[in-house]
Amino acid sequence: MLSKGSVAIDLGTVNTLVWVEGRGLVLEEPSAIAIDDAAGSVTAIGAAADALADKEPKGIRVIHPLRDGVIADLDATAEMLHGFLRRSGALTGPFKRRAVVCVPGGATWVERRSVVAAFGARRPRCVVELIDEPVAAAAGAGFELTAGAGGFVVDVGGGTTEVGAVAGWRVVRAESLRMAGNAMDEAIISAARSGLGMILGQRAARQLKTELGLTGGPDGWAEAVGLDAARRTPRTEKVPGDLVAGALEPVVSAIGACVQNVLSDIPAGLAEDVVRGQVRLCGGGALLPGLADRLAERAGIGVLVAEDPLRCVVRGAAALLAAGGAPGVPAR
């Protein structure tokens, strides 16, 4: 039975989203925490912490505690989660409640247990269930999993790309590629340094990715601000679209190969559902200009960008809660 105040959480490398039963989506913040090393205390979480990243304020350490979709710093993740849940009002009301948390389909047993431990560190009586991201993304992308329907989803997040064929709240075939939005950002940063002699921050790289993508944007270039690599002084540059597209190509090719691998392995009985429903593209990477067309070429079937792709996973986890205990991975 769904307890009042139950929560669904998309604990992502870049962003964390929290949905509370009866209230809907209540929090969407960067997965970041800022620590004052001298005082040993948390100074900021979420957007306020992320805004300090790459700026190196004295005595402040900004941590992004998830890497490639899984927890890299357990203590920082526990503190960050506690702050998010407190801010969203999810810590008030009944002491015992249920939480559904999304994890990459390829997460190991140890990585899955670390997610549960991050909750147990501050909420020992919270009943935690884990759900594979391809399943949550498919539900959030509109596939009727409760009715036993199948579908195919590509969720391009910050740290991982989840590619999966699912049916009836279960994974049928899936691959988790630890190469996604962050890898794209790093590729753009590297290309700008080698091709333009310019050092970009991650925020600037993300902006170029969003504006130019694989298509080059409407003007074939976009303006970016960074540091001149030789002089180490601020510099504004018109970054050409082909430089960004070229930088993105290896990551996009890897995602395309992953999609092709999973599609080639689906059972014949699922093929009709997949063709009828088409491939649904979710996550922040779904907004990359030109990605849907590129994947459609590789897959040989239609690729649709899901409605509200950034929130597909948390919406799917919320649907699991509403279903009153559809098959997940109970952890506590």
Side-chain angles (χ1 to χ4, degrees), residues 183-222:
M184 295 180 189
D185 299 339
E186 292 301 323
I188 292 171
I189 290 170
S190 177
R193 181 152 194 166
S194 60
L196 301 174
M198 185 177 186
I199 302 172
L200 294 177
Q202 190 169 45
R203 192 169 282 105
R206 284 179 185 166
Q207 187 65 30
L208 288 171
K209 177 179 66 179
T210 302
E211 288 186 30
L212 301 177
L214 301 172
T215 65
D219 300 318
W221 59 270

Side-chain angles (χ1 to χ4, degrees), residues 305-329:
V305 176
E307 182 181 351
D308 196 11
L310 291 167
R311 299 172 184 88
C312 279
V313 171
V314 76
R315 287 205 316 268
L320 175 68
L321 279 175
V329 184

Side-chain angles (χ1 to χ4, degrees), residues 24-281:
L25 185 66
V26 296
L27 183 137
E28 184 174 0
E29 297 254 6
S31 301
I33 183 170
I35 307 290
D36 183 329
D37 283 329
S41 60
V42 176
T43 62
I45 60 171
D50 191 57
L52 298 174
D54 297 330
K55 297 177 182 176
E56 302 180 10
K58 188 175 181 180
I60 301 296
R61 182 165 43 100
V62 178
I63 303 171
H64 294 89
L66 290 105
R67 188 175 302 122
D68 297 335
V70 295
I71 292 173
D73 187 322
L74 181 59
D75 291 339
T77 301
E79 288 290 343
M80 183 185 74
L81 271 174
H82 182 73
F84 283 157
L85 293 173
R86 184 177 61 248
R87 181 182 295 175
S88 65
L91 295 183
T92 60
F95 187 63
K96 184 173 181 178
R97 56 176 44 92
R98 182 172 168 226
V100 170
V101 188
C102 305
V103 294
T108 65
W109 180 85
V110 172
E111 290 166 342
R112 290 169 187 267
R113 293 302 302 176
S114 72
V115 174
V116 179
F119 276 82
R122 301 298 292 265
R123 300 295 292 170
R125 294 193 185 182
C126 184
V127 178
V128 180
E129 295 179 25
L130 307 182
I131 179 174
D132 286 338
E133 283 184 20
V135 176
F143 291 113
E144 296 294 334
L145 302 184
T146 301
F152 196 97
V153 66
V154 179
D155 178 21
V156 186
T160 64
T161 296
E162 302 293 319
V163 178
V166 304
W169 293 102
R170 295 286 185 178
V171 170
V172 178
R173 301 285 189 275
E175 287 189 20
S176 183
L177 179 68
R178 298 200 175 186
M179 184 181 289
N182 286 352
M184 295 180 189
D185 299 339
E186 292 301 323
I188 292 171
I189 290 170
S190 177
R193 181 152 194 166
S194 60
L196 301 174
M198 185 177 186
I199 302 172
L200 294 177
Q202 190 169 45
R203 192 169 282 105
R206 284 179 185 166
Q207 187 65 30
L208 288 171
K209 177 179 66 179
T210 302
E211 288 186 30
L212 301 177
L214 301 172
T215 65
D219 300 318
W221 59 270
E223 192 170 86
V225 179
L227 291 177
D228 187 282
R231 298 187 227 177
R232 304 290 298 189
T233 54
R235 169 181 160 194
T236 301
E237 183 71 48
K238 290 183 177 180
V239 179
D242 57 0
L243 181 141
V244 171
L248 294 173
E249 188 60 39
V251 180
V252 172
S253 292
I255 293 172
C258 188
V259 170
Q260 196 169 37
N261 287 342
V262 178
L263 271 175
S264 68
D265 193 39
I266 64 172
L270 188 58
E272 185 178 350
D273 283 359
V274 171
V275 172
R276 186 189 303 118
Q278 302 187 71
V279 174
R280 307 281 174 93
L281 188 57

